[in-house]
Amino acid sequence: MKKKTTETLLVEPESFEAASAELESIVIKMESGQMTLEASLAAYKRGMELLQYCQKALQNAQQQIRVLEDGNLRDFTETESINER
């Protein structure tokens, strides 16, 4: 029987949504308490990789918003949304 290697942990997710879904799946599995110590450590490592990927994606999105708004970030209000329609 061949053991799974940790090489698959280096695969980058397709998107933020895919990373978020995979991270949620890992959390559910880890919370079940049914994983071996080795599997838990591998899952934790993958989870941290996914968390870093998601944080970077969110930071990139924030930066794009700053550029689009020319550095004038402001709070969203419902009034603005209604007036724009």
Side-chain angles (χ1 to χ4, degrees):
M1 182 186 269
K2 194 173 184 179
K3 284 187 174 182
K4 290 182 181 179
T5 65
T6 57
E7 291 174 346
T8 58
L9 297 177
L10 302 176
V11 175
E12 188 166 304
E14 292 178 19
S15 65
F16 174 84
E17 293 77 14
S20 181
E22 185 180 347
L23 184 56
E24 184 177 350
S25 173
I26 288 171
V27 169
I28 291 168
K29 288 177 188 174
M30 291 184 76
E31 286 178 342
S32 76
Q34 301 299 311
M35 297 176 79
T36 65
L37 178 60
E38 183 179 275
S40 293
L41 289 172
Y44 181 83
K45 180 181 177 187
R46 178 63 175 165
M48 292 303 294
E49 291 171 350
L50 292 166
L51 179 61
Q52 289 175 352
Y53 175 89
C54 288
Q55 288 174 333
K56 185 176 179 181
L58 289 172
Q59 288 172 347
N60 287 341
Q62 282 182 319
Q63 184 60 34
Q64 289 179 24
I65 290 169
R66 284 187 188 104
V67 168
L68 291 171
E69 292 185 349
D70 195 27
N72 296 321
L73 289 178
R74 57 188 178 359
D75 291 333
F76 173 81
T77 63
E78 285 188 39
T79 308
E80 289 175 339
S81 177
I82 293 169
N83 290 339
E84 291 176 1
R85 291 180 190 173

